Amino acid sequence: MRARSTEISGTPGSVDAAIAHARDEVLPAMQRMEGCLGLSVLADRTGGRCIVTTSWRDEAALQDSREGVREFAERTAAILGGRPEVQEWEIAAMHRVPDAGEGARARVTWLRTEPAAVDRAVDAVRLSLMPKLDDLPGFCSVSVMVRRAEGLTVAAVSYDSRAHAEQAGEGAREFREEFAPAMGLEVLDSAEFDVAVAHLRVPETA
């Protein structure tokens, strides 16, 4: 399975309008495209940063959709007042308990390693991190996406509330500062977002 993420940093006051556009206009349009599984929106209402992610059945569906989704990305970026940064990913792992509902919160971590070590990094997250997440209060899902040629990995963990995300903060810090370096992973960035739209619909792969 594949994914396309569109990240936009814009005006904080425009975030809710961009979310509404993605939910009411972009999602229905994506669902009509061949091979599209779903869409999610992560939003930082304070900083004006949004990540719109669409999931696709396979590489062919991802490629075939490129022209069709471009105008939606540009329109969302125009609403936010920023420029879209588009990246395409392989979905390496997905594990969820319940679907994220109203008030859900996600912590996203971007990582880099040697391209040849990407599979080892994914296996480490799947085998070492995922079993621990199941026991955390409010845990909803974890997804791992990769760009193998560049050695890039992004992991997103969602919780049912801001309070539970904050409770898991120490574990997240240990992952960034201890577990990741031990696995040869460089942490490029880490950020928290509201889960504004949770309709990615990627099947369980963990």
Side-chain angles (χ1 to χ4, degrees):
M1 287 171 289
R2 298 293 187 268
R4 178 182 293 110
S5 65
T6 303
E7 182 173 338
I8 307 160
S9 293
T11 306
S14 299
V15 168
D16 283 333
I19 292 170
H21 172 70
R23 181 189 62 235
D24 301 336
E25 304 293 336
V26 181
L27 175 57
M30 295 299 102
Q31 290 175 318
R32 293 192 292 268
M33 290 189 177
E34 180 66 26
C36 184
L37 302 177
L39 174 147
S40 72
V41 181
L42 302 181
D44 175 3
R45 288 179 166 88
T46 301
R49 183 182 183 187
C50 287
I51 302 175
V52 181
T53 303
T54 50
S55 55
W56 302 88
R57 182 183 57 220
D58 50 31
E59 179 66 24
L62 180 72
Q63 292 183 12
D64 290 345
S65 68
R66 282 175 182 160
E67 286 301 316
V69 304
R70 182 174 299 167
E71 64 178 283
F72 293 103
E74 291 174 351
R75 175 58 181 155
T76 305
I79 292 171
L80 271 169
R83 296 183 61 183
E85 179 183 340
V86 180
Q87 292 187 317
E88 295 179 351
W89 305 85
E90 174 191 342
I91 300 174
M94 167 63 76
H95 173 53
R96 66 167 61 87
V97 185
D99 285 338
E102 185 76 20
R105 188 80 169 161
R107 181 177 290 110
V108 183
T109 304
W110 289 264
L111 306 148
R112 181 166 57 202
T113 188
E114 292 297 324
V118 166
D119 283 333
R120 184 165 61 91
V122 172
D123 286 343
V125 172
R126 181 187 286 116
L127 298 175
S128 299
L129 182 62
M130 287 184 177
K132 297 177 182 178
L133 292 172
D134 276 331
D135 296 329
L136 294 180
F139 168 72
C140 291
S141 69
V142 55
S143 64
V144 182
M145 304 190 301
V146 299
R147 292 166 61 92
R148 294 179 184 277
E150 298 154 74
L152 295 177
T153 300
V154 58
V157 184
S158 66
Y159 302 88
D160 62 4
S161 66
R162 181 185 293 266
H164 282 143
E166 290 176 352
Q167 287 180 29
E170 178 59 23
R173 185 198 63 77
E174 290 178 357
F175 174 80
R176 293 192 305 270
E177 298 179 6
E178 299 174 19
F179 179 80
M183 294 302 301
L185 297 167
E186 176 190 1
V187 178
L188 301 176
D189 190 15
S190 183
E192 293 191 16
F193 300 87
D194 294 328
V195 181
V197 179
H199 200 87
L200 205 57
R201 297 299 180 261
V202 175
E204 182 89 7
T205 62

